[in-house]
Amino acid sequence: MFQLTSELCFAIAGAEIRVPKDYYLHGDSAEAAENTLTFTTPDKRYQVTYKVHTNSKGTEQSLIDIQMGIYNTWNPISAIIVGGLTGHCATYGNDNEQYFEARLLFEEGETGCAELEVTVCTRQGDMGQIKTSPAFKNLLSGIHKV
């Protein structure tokens, strides 16, 4: 992993994203996918993944599809607005890992939607506590529509 020595700002498919200083950028791995960046927090308590999807069924349906039969949803899927991007989010998981996932819409086309997936995953903590932390709120406030 590479540690960021300053804040990182990058643009991807209609959004600008800021990642705070001291986060760790994961290098390429067998699990890495195109259009995906994964970071670990400085305390290594959770990971944040940004991924762009094209030709999806929409932000709500994408969340339903990912959870179906795999995880228990702790809260109902709800609408969300982050930095001018609309979409849906959910918190889900099992005994081993917990997730917060937001799907934010870039554009709707005839063949499907383009959207940003922001996933926060922890294997060492309580997602409820993470979601109320200033660090988590800082991550979401670092996403803006361009």
Side-chain angles (χ1 to χ4, degrees), residues 87-107:
H88 290 84
C89 66
T91 303
Y92 55 90
N94 58 32
D95 291 340
N96 299 316
E97 53 196 12
Q98 300 172 17
Y99 294 88
F100 166 84
E101 184 175 332
R103 297 283 185 127
L104 305 171
L105 182 66
F106 291 132
E107 63 182 34

Side-chain angles (χ1 to χ4, degrees), residues 1 24 40-47 121-124:
M1 290 189 291
Y24 294 92
T40 298
T41 58
D43 62 6
K44 298 185 179 156
R45 194 168 161 213
Y46 57 91
Q47 289 184 340
C121 172
T122 185
R123 292 176 181 87
Q124 304 175 19

Side-chain angles (χ1 to χ4, degrees), residues 21-104:
K21 176 183 173 182
D22 294 328
Y23 275 60
Y24 294 92
L25 171 65
H26 288 246
D28 193 20
S29 71
E31 299 159 0
E34 189 175 336
N35 296 325
T36 302
L37 285 174
T38 300
F39 299 88
T40 298
T41 58
D43 62 6
K44 298 185 179 156
R45 194 168 161 213
Y46 57 91
Q47 289 184 340
V48 182
T49 300
Y50 302 96
K51 183 174 185 177
V52 173
H53 296 274
T54 55
N55 301 324
S56 73
K57 299 175 187 174
T59 59
E60 185 174 22
Q61 189 61 47
S62 295
L63 283 169
I64 291 168
D65 289 350
I66 195 74
Q67 296 176 57
M68 196 163 303
I70 300 173
Y71 296 105
N72 295 321
T73 304
W74 299 345
N75 298 319
I77 293 172
S78 58
I80 189 171
I81 299 173
V82 176
L85 296 167
T86 60
H88 290 84
C89 66
T91 303
Y92 55 90
N94 58 32
D95 291 340
N96 299 316
E97 53 196 12
Q98 300 172 17
Y99 294 88
F100 166 84
E101 184 175 332
R103 297 283 185 127
L104 305 171

